[in-house]
């Protein structure tokens, strides 16, 4: 049997048509898939871009993120809050309730806040999240009624008073470091004298100017605090209460001794009653969004509830407290410096009565320089006859050409040697330098060993300003050296209270350094840690903080409720300190680049 290969059949027209159709379907599907992939890719890019610009967190608190959109919404709200206050201030001015100068001062403060509103908003929200997390753990929440009440509170402008204060600080008579009872009595008598002058008909501003030129006061600008609400008046609680208890403009408080030992009394020149802005809520809702503003009010209610709980525990409730004495040694210039410090007052006699001329009239034989030297020598002759005239002469602008210290009678604080240079040494902590006095020849003269306190030095040529006539009042060791000497003395048997009276620069030196009962959050965390870690009856290690040095003696420990005076002081510090500790114990992360971008964003004003 023979087999024959079968020839392949020729493709039919139908099969060709079917293949073409299949190919077209495949091509269409492939093209569709390609388009879908492209769209998906584009969508992914868009989603990633949107997330980066809106949803990406710029910070987180214990894993809870704060998105850019959330922060920007708060920035918008805070900007609206500030701008509404500007409208209210303008309304008060138009109604004659505040002066144009008052409005300008309020506007300047708000403008400053607006310039940092972005970074401030983020800081505000980080604190809010930490508080909300604490509240959630402790069963604290906000009801709708509480939120509504908070919105009404937001719309209410608190009573404002224009406050002026005359202050006479407690100062140790150089070359002594610690103030004595005689120093305190002198400060009180000076304050009483100022008060009697005003009661006798002299104007407040005239007496304030007089106080500012004695070298014993801090009344620059007439002691004018400006308009302030009760909670923002940064003075001792009893003085703030007295200010807001005054019945009418022109009334004066009694003289009060502050926690720093200074004596102060105050007056008010304007009283702006509390009032409600009926358009407040509608403005916030339309400008920032009703939901955003209500969330803000809710957060405020929760914060106040947490604050009330914290204060009930640490202010009005019983706490473990320690009774403490202290010795304090501080850099009175408020800036870093090296080595010994000197206390001087000075006058300047410049060519043509202007320090600026010294840099241009460089020929010391010029008639203007000769005249400056003649005037300086005449002043020295007068002072050798009666050194007590120095303050009056230094405050007289027809005699003293200095513009930096003349208002205080030529008085300078205790300052270290390097501050006499044109530029100070770098701060070891920050690396920052500061502009110094530029009086190196004066430095050489006043730091000579053995110079008696009260010496009037002959005119000293300083080419940058003119001829300088200093009154040398004393020399002392640097703050760290002074506290080290105190620590050595008490650790070798010296009585702590006696050393405090001799060496401490704290206002409680008069009572032997009796700081009193110290309770949680009353002092800084560094100070508190040292006090509560020191065994009873012992002396703490030296504590360095804020350009000051402290030494503590712990004598007692008890669980007690703070007395009313202590509670008044704690009211201002407990919650801020507690909140700072809460944040310090939280895991807080910030996107530094995004935060920098927020900080650089300034809204239109």
């Amino acid at each position: 049997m023979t087999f024959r290969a079968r020839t392949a059949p020729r493709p039919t027209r139908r099969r060709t048509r079917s293949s073409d159709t299949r190919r077209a379907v495949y091509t269409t599907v492939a093209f569709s898939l390609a388009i879908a992939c492209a769209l998906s890719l584009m969508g992914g890019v868009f989603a990633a871009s949107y997330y980066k610009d809106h949803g990406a967190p710029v910070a987180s608190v214990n894993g809870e993120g704060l998105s850019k959109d959330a922060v920007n919404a708060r920035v918008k709200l805070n900007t609206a809050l500030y701008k509404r206050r500007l409208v209210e201030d303008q309304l008060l001015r138009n109604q004659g309730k505040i002066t144009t100068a008052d409005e300008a001062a309020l506007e300047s403060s708000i403008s400053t806040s607006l310039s940092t509103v972005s970074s401030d908003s983020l800081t505000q929200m980080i604190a809010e999240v930490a508080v909300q997390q604490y509240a959630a753990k402790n069963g604290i929440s906000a009801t709708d009624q509480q939120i509504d009440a908070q919105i009404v509170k937001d719309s209410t402008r608190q009573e404002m008073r224009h406050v002026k204060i005359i202050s006479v600080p407690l100062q140790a008579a150089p070359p002594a470091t610690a103030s004595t009872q005689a120093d305190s009595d002198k400060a009180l008598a000076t304050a009483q004298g100022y008060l009697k002058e005003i009661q006798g008909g002299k104007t407040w501003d005239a007496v304030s100017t007089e106080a500012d030129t004695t070298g014993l006061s801090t009344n620059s600008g007439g002691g004018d605090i400006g308009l302030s609400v009760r909670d923002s008046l940064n003075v001792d609680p009893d003085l703030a209460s007295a200010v807001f208890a005054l019945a009418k403009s022109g009334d004066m408080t009694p003289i009060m001794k502050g926690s720093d030992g200074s004596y102060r009394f105050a007056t008010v020149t304007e009283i702006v009653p509390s009032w409600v802005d009926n358009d407040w809520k509608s403005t916030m809702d339309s400008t920032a969004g009703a939901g955003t503003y209500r969330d803000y009010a809710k957060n405020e209610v929760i914060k106040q509830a947490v604050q009330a709980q914290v204060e009930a525990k640490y202010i009005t409730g019983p706490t473990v407290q320690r009774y403490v004495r202290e010795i304090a040694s501080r850099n009175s210039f408020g800036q870093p410096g090296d080595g010994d410090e000197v206390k001087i007052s000075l006058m300047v006699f410049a060519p043509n009565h202007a320090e600026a001329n010294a840099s241009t009239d460089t020929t010391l034989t010029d008639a203007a320089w000769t005249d400056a030297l003649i005037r300086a020598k005449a002043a020295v002759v007068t002072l050798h006859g009666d050194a007590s005239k120095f303050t009056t002469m230094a405050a007289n602008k027809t005699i003293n050409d200095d513009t930096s210290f003349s208002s205080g009678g030529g008085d300078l604080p205790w300052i270290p040697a390097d501050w006499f240079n044109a530029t100070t040494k770098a701060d070891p902590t920050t690396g920052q330098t500061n502009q110094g006095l530029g009086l190196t020849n004066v430095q050489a003269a006043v730091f000579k060993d053995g110079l008696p306190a009260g010496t009037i030095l002959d005119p000293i040529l300083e080419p940058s300003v003119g001829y300088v006539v200093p009154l040398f009042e004393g020399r002392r060791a640097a703050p760290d050296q002074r506290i080290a000497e105190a620590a050595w003395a008490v650790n070798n048997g010296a009585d702590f209270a006696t050393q405090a009276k001799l060496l401490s620069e704290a206002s409680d030196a008069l009572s032997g350094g009796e700081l009193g009962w110290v309770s949680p959050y009353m002092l800084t965390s560094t100070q508190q840690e040292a006090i509560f870690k020191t065994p009873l009856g012992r002396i703490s290690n030296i504590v360095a903080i804020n350009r000051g040095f402290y030494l503590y003696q712990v004598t007692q420990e008890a669980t007690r409720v703070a007395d009313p005076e202590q509670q008044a002081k704690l009211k201002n510090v407990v919650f801020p300190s507690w909140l700072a500790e809460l944040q310090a114990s939280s895991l807080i992360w910030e996107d530094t680049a995004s935060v920098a971008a927020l900080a650089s964003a300034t809204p239109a004003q």
Side-chain angles (χ1 to χ4, degrees), residues 16 23 44 99-100 175 184 198 226 242 273 304 329 351 365 370 417 419 428 447 589:
T16 302
R23 188 179 301 109
T99 66
T100 301
S184 182
I198 297 173
Q304 291 174 14
S329 176
T365 57
T370 301
W419 269 88
F447 274 91
W589 165 85

Side-chain angles (χ1 to χ4, degrees), residues 8-334:
R10 299 177 67 182
T12 63
R13 195 172 188 85
R14 176 176 293 179
R15 290 183 61 188
T16 302
R17 192 180 299 120
S18 177
S19 296
D20 290 343
T21 301
R22 191 179 298 112
R23 188 179 301 109
V25 170
Y26 290 160
T27 302
T28 301
V29 170
F31 184 68
S32 298
L33 289 173
I35 293 175
C37 290
L39 291 174
S40 177
L41 181 61
M42 291 174 62
V45 171
F46 176 79
S49 177
Y50 185 88
Y51 176 77
K52 179 181 178 182
D53 293 338
H54 299 273
V58 295
S60 68
V61 181
N62 297 321
E64 183 175 343
L66 289 169
S67 70
K68 287 185 178 180
D69 272 0
V71 175
N72 286 329
R74 176 57 61 85
V75 171
K76 187 177 181 180
L77 172 62
N78 282 337
T79 301
L81 293 171
Y82 288 133
K83 290 190 174 182
R84 186 61 195 174
R85 292 306 185 201
L86 290 173
V87 172
E88 292 174 350
D89 294 338
Q90 186 179 49
L91 178 62
L92 289 173
R93 184 208 63 194
N94 292 340
Q95 293 175 345
K97 295 180 179 178
I98 64 173
T99 66
T100 301
D102 287 332
E103 184 198 12
L106 292 170
E107 181 180 1
S108 176
S109 176
I110 290 175
S111 296
T112 300
S113 298
L114 279 168
S115 68
T116 58
V117 66
S118 296
S119 56
D120 290 348
S121 295
L122 176 60
T123 300
Q124 181 186 50
M125 294 181 75
I126 288 173
E128 284 179 357
V129 171
V131 169
Q132 289 164 11
Q133 291 172 347
Y134 174 88
K137 293 177 182 178
N138 290 272
I140 298 174
S141 59
T143 66
D144 287 339
Q145 292 80 4
Q146 289 173 319
I147 297 171
D148 291 338
Q150 181 60 42
I151 292 173
V152 172
K153 183 178 179 181
D154 287 346
S155 68
T156 304
R157 289 294 295 264
Q158 297 179 52
E159 177 185 324
M160 294 187 291
R161 295 191 169 203
H162 194 127
V163 183
K164 292 185 176 182
I165 297 176
I166 288 178
S167 173
V168 181
L170 176 63
Q171 291 186 334
T177 291
S179 299
T180 64
Q181 187 59 51
D183 296 324
S184 182
D185 293 342
K186 179 181 178 182
L188 175 58
T190 302
Q192 291 171 334
Y194 293 149
L195 180 59
K196 287 180 180 179
E197 287 186 48
I198 297 173
Q199 292 171 336
K202 201 168 183 178
T203 67
W204 180 280
D205 288 347
V207 174
S208 185
T209 299
E210 175 190 350
D212 193 36
T213 58
T214 62
L216 294 174
S217 192
T218 53
N219 304 288
S220 180
D224 195 340
I225 306 300
L227 280 173
S228 177
V229 299
R230 170 67 176 81
D231 294 340
S232 298
L233 189 58
N234 189 24
V235 297
D236 286 299
D238 56 350
L239 181 58
S241 297
V243 165
F244 276 81
L246 295 175
K248 62 184 184 301
S249 297
D251 286 354
M252 293 183 293
T253 69
I255 295 172
M256 296 183 173
K257 186 175 183 180
S259 58
D260 59 354
S262 299
Y263 290 94
R264 299 180 177 90
F265 61 99
T267 188
V268 293
T269 59
E270 299 168 73
I271 298 177
V272 184
S274 173
W275 64 286
V276 177
D277 180 352
N278 293 319
D279 296 326
W280 174 266
K281 183 178 183 300
S282 61
T283 301
M284 294 302 104
D285 289 347
S286 62
T287 307
T292 299
Y293 178 49
R294 192 167 183 82
D295 286 344
Y296 169 86
K298 176 182 178 181
N299 293 339
E300 186 62 25
V301 170
I302 291 174
K303 188 191 84 170
Q304 291 174 14
V306 170
Q307 181 173 350
Q309 185 185 86
V310 170
E311 291 180 348
K313 180 176 181 180
Y314 294 109
I315 297 180
T316 59
T319 57
V320 176
Q321 302 180 23
R322 288 190 157 198
Y323 197 87
V324 178
R325 291 182 183 272
E326 69 172 342
I327 296 176
S329 176
R330 303 178 180 128
N331 185 330
S332 62
F333 202 54

